[in-house]
Amino acid sequence: MTVNRRRFLKLSATAAAMTAFGGLGCQHTAPAVDRATMLKPEWTKQTTTICCYCAVGCGLIVNTSLKTKKAVNVEGDPDHPVNEGSLCAKGASIYQLAENERRPEGPLYRAPFSKEFKQVSWKWALEQIAHRVKKSRDETFAVKNDKGQTVNRTEGIASLGSAALDNEECWAFQTMLRSLGLVYIEHQARI
Amino acid sequence: MTNHWTDIKNSDCILIMGSNAAENHPISFKWVTKAQEQGAKLIHVDPRFTRTSAKADMWAGLRSGSDIAVLGGLIKYILDNELYFEEYVQNYTNASFLVNEDYAFDNGVFAGYDPKTRTYDKSSWAFQMEENGVPKQDPTMQDPNCVLQLMKKHYERYSLENASRMSGLSIDELKELYSTYAATGTGDKAGTIMYAMGWTQHTVGVQNIRAMAMVQLLLGNIGVAGGGVNALRGESNVQGSTDHCLLYHILPGYLKTPKSWQDSLAAYDKDYTPVSNDPESANWWSNYPKYSASLIKSMWLNDDPATAYNYLPRLDTGAASEYAWLTLFDKMGKGKFQGLFAWGMNPACSGANAGKNREAMANLDWLVNVNIFPNETGWFWEGPDMNPETIKTEVFFLPCAVSIEKEGSVTNSGRWMQWRYKGPEPKKGTMPDGDIMYELMKEIQHLYEKEGGAYPEPVTRLTWDAIATDGVFDAHKVAKLINGFFTKDTMVKGKTFKKGQQVPSFAYLQDDGSTCSGNWLYCNSYTDKGNMAARRDTTQTPMQANIGLFPNWSWCWPVNRRVLYNRASVDLKGQPYAKNKPVIKWDGTKWVGDVPDGGWKPGTKHAFIMRKHGYGQLFGPGRADGPLPEYYEPLECPVKEHPYSGQLHNPTAIAFAEEQKAVCDPRYPLVCSTYRVTEHWQTGVMTRNIPWLVETEPQVFCEMSRNWPSSRASTTATRLSWTACAAPSGPSPSLPQGSSPSPSTATPSIRSVCLALWLDVAQERRRLRQPADPVRR
């Protein structure tokens, strides 16, 4: 039997569905294979994802080098019912979003009145931010409003974002913000 | 979208208005093209002739902001010529309802307006009720107070002449547009609307969409294959982020944010749980207390919902003028905020009045900016007209992982929740957003546990470890929590569930804390059967395949229903109006096709189950700016008056006293709009940093009318090019030694990548009709 590329992907789709129902929380390191991996199957792993740009939600196949753990190619998923393998220029260039030298390699901090950022550690940045959040919350927290009604809200912190987050992150973010008492919460959906 | 992307192929007439889908949602056009190949008409209504227009059977170039003149005219055309789908209108809309006799509309303003607050007291817009608490109806739809007659009266003014005068379209063009689209008002035809921010970004945004929803109800186009009201949403998960309600006025699943007067969960539930006395109204929101209790439980698993309700902050009012985006920046400018999270967002570039927004940020004590790349927000302090030495704001920039480096789901415009897997490792030094949130909140919890502080309980009692496994953010665990599980052994509907078992669907959620669910709309997405969003099965029944339903591919809210309000696609006996493309059908014992909007037998429940009375709302008594869409000019406009009323602007639009507006101001004679190209996206933070994309579309440009007087054109062009190019030629955003550079070849200080200017829309339209080659400078 000749296994062409499309058939290969179909086989893997079945395998993926079995994975999805067979074991909860099981990570899908899809055995879907493209031309490159057919030549050197030990070279990459393939995973499916959804485009990060507009909300058409096109399917993508990502090739990741097993050696370097870096993306080597991203292309349209031919089995996806919406895009049937095709992509626009943005979706087709997602590989360059990951493999991009312009991405800063760690948190940056700009001190008051400073003309520059300096590189800082994640630990330091998160501790400092936590202290700022706590201070602002404690100083601006209103238990009651002007009418004497209980409102339990933090009035001095606002949040914007984000439609670029995954669902699970959106939910976690709103949970974090609302447990901190924020009411000024907006994002891309308003503009 | 009430429908979804592949469903567009089922349409007989596609109206694209307020969107350039071919450019901005390129793959959507695969399905538009399929419909056209099967004979569908494509109409594009837009001020600009674009790639979408080039593919259309008809392009109608209206003047920016005149949409309701055109749509109101369409409503009048349908009513005058009795082109509405009468059986549908009769059975499934509130056309026959009688409105309170006190309801009035006079000279552009509805009854109940308070000029001081710029709001309406909506009590006189209510429906008349029978003694048994069911709305009064006139089945003949002849009563002067019935909705159909009120609509006829309201839209009397929306003549072809007036629509032509305000929109710049000719009467013949309007007639062609109206007759082509209204031809879908039969049972076997479907018309669809594809719109985007060309409709929403107006002071009448809600009513633009309302007007079209009314057209769709009149023509029987809601609930059917190839129909619906379809917002082409612009970000990969803007549907999901809206469903999870990162917005001031709503909580996950479109529950309301608590108000100051709702001092208990019971009082809160009472305000938002509609009551219907009609046994045929499913009144789905009557389940509200189950959803609110389950949401609160999901956040504070160790507290009972009534206690933890107090942990949620409360608003003084639901008014946008207090909390929404524009107000937020206005208050920031007045020094109201100490801190701001700009997480996965670039408001220094994306918000209206970017200059005001950037100046406002200089009043913050601290700013946390999470993004993939350096951007105008995190670097606002070195932007145009900024002196870093006078700006106190501390800025923390946190670099995050990109989408292919992490696992989780996104929900597309068609409400499909689709799972993503992790490919490469996150780049060295970056973290996935979920991990950043988890670790930051852990740190804050730790501080409150150690030091105490203002009302610490909501923070310290938050069951934050429910989103992590061994101290690492776990997308599967969150997805299961969003779906919800039983918090103790419980019996529901005769079935016994064990503690920890996933809730099978929202029909099983409880109001007493025995279930948790982070978002009731997503209950059924991650059940004991597995992660439904990860499904990749394309098998369908022939009936499903006929309309491209794909019920086994990923998962769709609610309960995998692919076409919302699909019970309106069948008659009262459950038989489809469109025999050639049924969505659902009653086969005598059960429904087949899509997941029906409730499994009751045909004819036993009204079709629009999310509405209190069960009917599609031609008359919308709950809207802030009026129960029927009305024409108003944008706040900045080239006319002093319009023929519909003496009310020039929307009387409820948010306005800031200190912001001047140009109305017929000779200094500002042009209507200018920003737009995108396929290769660049939103503020360009991502795409401006992609070599392939910058190579294909390397710089900003503007388009100008050839009809401009040449002297004015050259002056304006010079001024514009200066504005657009100021940023890239200015100093590069600063970065510490050794870190990556940030400026790309095109870093516009303007809001979007491109800009269009029109002097005379009507002339422009005539010109563009000849050759289809928009002039590009």
Side-chain angles (χ1 to χ4, degrees), chain A residues 21 24-25 27-28 45 47-58 64 69 71 77 79-84 86 88-90 92-93 96-97 100-110 112-117 122 126-132 134 136-141 145 149-153 155-163 165-176 178-179 181-191, chain B residues 5-6 30-31 34 197 201 233-238 240-242 244-252 260 298 310 313-316 322 324-325 331 337-341 343-345 366 379 381 388-389 391-397 399-400 403 405-409 411-413 418 420-425 427 429 431 433-434 437 441 443 448 452 454-455 458 464 475 478 518 526 529-530 535-536 553 678 681 689-693 734 736 740 742-743:
Chain A
F21 291 98
L24 297 182
Q27 186 140 335
H28 169 50
K45 72 165 178 175
T47 48
T48 57
T49 186
I50 301 297
C51 181
C52 60
Y53 290 106
C54 85
V56 172
C58 296
T64 304
K69 313 281 189 209
D77 179 348
D79 289 326
H80 196 284
V82 173
N83 61 312
E84 297 178 333
S86 54
C88 76
K90 295 187 295 294
S93 66
Q96 292 192 329
L97 192 60
N100 194 307
E101 290 179 356
R102 292 172 182 272
R103 294 174 66 186
E105 294 183 346
L108 304 173
Y109 172 70
R110 185 252 177 194
F113 312 111
S114 170
K115 287 182 185 171
E116 59 185 13
F117 272 113
W122 275 101
L126 293 175
E127 280 175 7
Q128 293 300 312
I129 296 167
H131 277 101
R132 303 296 184 284
K134 181 169 189 300
S136 296
R137 182 181 182 274
D138 287 350
E139 286 177 11
T140 66
F141 194 84
N145 64 7
Q149 296 163 321
T150 301
V151 290
N152 289 337
R153 65 187 180 217
E155 298 188 334
I157 307 176
S159 174
L160 302 171
S162 173
L165 298 171
D166 289 349
N167 280 317
E168 295 71 30
E169 293 167 340
C170 285
W171 188 87
F173 195 42
Q174 84 83 32
T175 296
M176 170 179 133
R178 291 194 157 108
S179 68
L182 265 67
V183 286
Y184 291 93
I185 299 172
E186 291 279 81
H187 83 288
Q188 284 94 336
R190 186 76 67 197
I191 60 170
Chain B
W5 297 111
T6 52
K30 180 189 280 283
W31 303 100
K34 284 203 173 151
M197 295 170 104
Q201 290 182 329
R233 309 212 64 178
E235 304 230 6
S236 60
N237 198 33
V238 71
S241 61
T242 309
H244 294 303
C245 298
L246 285 163
L247 292 161
Y248 82 88
H249 68 301
I250 36 180
L251 305 179
S260 54
S298 71
N310 296 302
R314 295 175 201 163
L315 310 176
D316 286 339
E322 279 299 316
W325 180 279
K331 289 187 175 179
F337 301 115
Q338 294 186 8
L340 171 70
F341 288 105
W343 198 308
M345 194 164 188
W366 54 267
W379 276 250
W381 45 272
E389 291 176 3
I391 295 171
K392 65 175 176 176
T393 315
E394 284 184 292
V395 184
F396 298 87
F397 175 81
C400 58
S403 59
E405 295 169 342
K406 61 185 183 184
E407 190 167 14
S409 70
T411 302
N412 78 359
S413 206
Q418 305 192 91
R420 286 166 164 170
Y421 295 94
K422 179 179 164 181
E425 286 296 318
K427 181 174 177 170
M431 270 169 75
D433 297 271
M437 288 164 200
M441 192 62 198
E443 191 66 37
Y448 272 95
Y455 196 38
W464 199 233
V478 185
Y526 207 132
K529 288 182 186 166
R535 296 184 304 165
R536 290 177 57 88
W553 182 275
T678 298
W681 188 72
N689 285 296
I690 304 291
W692 289 346
L693 297 175
S734 63
S740 22
S742 87

Side-chain angles (χ1 to χ4, degrees), chain B residues 717-733:
Chain B
T718 309
R719 205 178 296 155
L720 265 174
S721 60
W722 183 85
T723 309
C725 301
S729 60
S732 305

